[in-house]
Amino acid sequence: MIDPMIKSAWVALGGDRALLGRLVCVERPGALIARLPVQRLARACVGTCALAAAELGALRAGLDSVPRAVVDDGAVVTAFHSERLLRIDGRAPVNFAPLSRWWRAAYGWVRTHANYPHHRRRLLGALGLPDDAGPEDVERVLLERSALEVEEAVYAAEGLAVALRTPGQWAAHPQAVEVARRPLVERVAIGAPSGRQLPPLERGSGPLLPAAGLRVLDLTRVIAGPVATRTLALLGADVLRVDAPELPELADQHADTGFGKRSATLELAADSGALEELLASADVVVTGYRPGALDRYGLSPEALAERYPGLIVAQLSAWGAYGPWGERRGFDSLVQVATGIAATEGSTMEPGALPVQALDHGTGYLLAAGVLRSLTERSRDGRGRLVRLALARTAHWLTTEAGRDPRPGGPEYEGPEAWLAERDSPLGRLRYARPPVSFTGGPADWATPPVPYGSSPATWS
C-alpha cells in the first residue's frame, strides 16, 4: 500500500497516479525519531523525485514502461544528514556559527541565524551591539526584551531572528493562513508555446540520465535549493551555480551541495550581458533568494517567460511568495521555530527541533521533482512552467496534513556507513552521503566532485 504522504506529494506534482505502482519503498523504522512523521516526509519527497526522474527518463529514451523507482530509508536518512556527515580530509563541517542558536528572552524564546557575516552584523546592529560582541553580550541584551520585540527589531534591520510559537499561535498568524491556502507545490504554465524539446536519449552501456543535455542556471544558496540542483546534476544536467562575488557561499555548505556542478561568480547588475547569454541557452532557472529579490535583474517568472518561451522557472522561498512575511528572509531552523515544530518537538523546559533539517532537504527534492515533471509536461504542450515551493508550506504539510507515523515493520537502520562514499576532489578527500534518488538503470553517484568556489567561467560547458 502506498503511503498517503507519497500519494499526496505525487498528486501535488501533477503525476499520474497509475505510476505510483512503479515505486518500491524499503522502510527502516525508527531512523528519524521525532513526534512528527519526519521520516515519512523524507521518504515521500525522495520517492516522488525518483519516480519523476524515472518517468522523464522513460519518455526521453522511448522505453515501453517507466523504470522501477526505489526509495530506501537508509539512503534517505543518510542523505538528509549530508551536511553533518560530510568530512573534508577528515575534518567535520561547521554548520552553525556561535550566534546561530536559541536564546531566552525576557518573555519567550527566540532563535537567531547569523552564519553569514552580513547577517551577523545586522543582528548585532539591531541589538545595539558592536561587531565584535559575543554570545554573552547578546544573551544579556535579549534577557531585557520580549521574543516578539527582538523578532521585529532584527527583521527591520534585515537580520534573522524568529520568536518561538506554538502550533496554535502559528495557525492564527496571517502568514500561516496564507500558507494553508496554497498547494504543497505551486505549478502553472507560463509563456507562449515554444519548440523547446529535449532530444531523445541514446541508450548505451552507461546509466540512464533523464536530465542529460539540460542546462540549469543555479541561483540558490544554503541547503534546499542547492539540494534540488545537486539532484538535477546527478541526473545528467549541466548545472552552473552562480553567486555574487561579494557574498560567497559558506565553504562547507558549498562542498556538501556542490557535487556534479560548476561554480562561477557574476555581478548580475554589472554583467547583465553575461547573464543574458546564460539565460538564452538555459532550460531551467532555479532561484532560492527571498521573493522579489532578483526581479530587478529581469529574473521574475513573467519577464523570463516573455523573453524565453519554454523556460522552466523553479523558485524556492522560506515563507512563500505571498502574505505579510512574503518578502522575509528565512532558513529551515527559523521556519521550524515559527510554525510550531520547535514547540512540538521540545519540552516544557526548552524548545526542540527535528532530527534533521527536513524542511530544507525535503523541499529540495520536491523542487527537483517539480522541474522533472515540468519537463515531462512541456513535451506535450511546449510551454514553460513556474514551479514554486516554500519551507513554510512543507512545514504545514508535515504538521497538519501528514497524520500519524504508523511505525511499520521492516529492517532497522543500522547507521549511515552503508550509504557513505569517499573520493578525492579539488577540495580534498571527501566522505559524503551517496544520492538517495534511485531507479532501475539510473546513476549511482555524481559524475564529478565539487569544485572550488568560483573556479568556473560563467559560461555553459
Side-chain angles (χ1 to χ4, degrees), residues 174-432:
Q175 186 63 29
V177 174
E178 288 296 324
V179 167
R181 290 173 177 166
R182 308 290 171 137
L184 175 63
V185 182
E186 294 186 74
R187 304 162 45 255
V188 62
I190 56 173
S194 74
R196 286 194 189 216
Q197 293 292 337
L198 290 174
L201 292 176
E202 295 185 8
R203 297 295 292 124
S205 58
L208 176 62
L209 298 174
L214 195 72
R215 288 176 168 174
V216 177
L217 186 58
D218 179 359
L219 302 173
T220 68
R221 293 173 73 81
V222 197
I223 296 178
V227 163
T229 51
R230 182 180 69 182
T231 302
L232 296 174
L234 168 74
L235 300 172
D238 177 11
V239 178
L240 180 63
R241 163 79 181 257
V242 173
D243 288 277
E246 71 275 12
L247 295 174
E249 180 61 283
L250 301 172
D252 291 343
Q253 202 75 69
H254 170 76
D256 176 51
T257 59
F259 284 87
K261 308 178 189 179
R262 293 178 299 116
S263 171
T265 59
L266 191 68
E267 182 57 63
L268 298 185
D271 298 326
S272 58
L275 175 62
E276 287 301 315
E277 287 185 15
L278 291 173
L279 291 168
S281 298
D283 297 282
V284 180
V285 176
V286 185
T287 67
Y289 292 78
R290 61 190 176 91
L294 298 177
D295 289 3
R296 64 184 182 275
Y297 305 112
L299 293 169
S300 71
E302 298 77 15
L304 289 171
E306 182 177 353
R307 300 203 307 278
Y308 308 108
L311 185 68
I312 306 299
V313 182
Q315 293 188 326
L316 172 82
S317 63
W319 308 105
Y322 41 76
W325 282 19
E327 295 184 355
R328 290 200 178 194
R329 297 168 176 85
F331 295 98
D332 180 309
S333 58
L334 302 183
V335 176
Q336 289 191 42
V337 174
T339 59
I341 292 175
T344 299
E345 297 293 338
S347 66
T348 56
M349 300 298 295
E350 60 183 6
L354 298 174
V356 292
Q357 294 196 72
L359 305 181
D360 262 338
H361 286 275
T363 307
Y365 288 108
L366 283 179
L367 190 66
V371 169
L372 296 167
R373 290 246 57 258
S374 294
L375 292 165
T376 297
E377 293 175 339
R378 192 182 70 179
S379 70
R380 304 188 186 110
D381 62 17
R383 297 188 67 187
R385 295 291 191 281
L386 170 61
V387 182
R388 274 189 176 138
L389 284 99
L391 302 185
R393 184 59 182 84
T394 304
H396 180 76
W397 183 41
L398 174 66
T399 56
T400 66
E401 299 175 1
R404 297 182 59 189
D405 190 338
R407 303 289 183 189
E412 292 293 328
Y413 177 70
E414 297 180 351
E417 287 74 18
W419 293 279
L420 295 174
E422 290 194 15
R423 70 198 299 178
D424 290 320
S425 80
L427 306 179
R429 182 72 176 175
L430 301 181
R431 187 196 77 172
Y432 61 96

Side-chain angles (χ1 to χ4, degrees), residues 53-76:
E55 178 191 31
L56 180 61
L59 174 68
R60 294 190 63 194
L63 303 181
D64 293 333
S65 62
V66 172
R68 186 179 69 167
V70 179
V71 56
D72 188 314
D73 279 4
V76 171

Side-chain angles (χ1 to χ4, degrees), residues 102 109-111 147-149 151 161-165 325 334 337-338:
W102 283 107
W109 288 84
V110 64
R111 173 111 190 189
L148 288 173
E149 179 187 353
E151 176 184 277
V162 172
L164 177 70
R165 289 172 173 81
W325 282 19
L334 302 183
V337 174

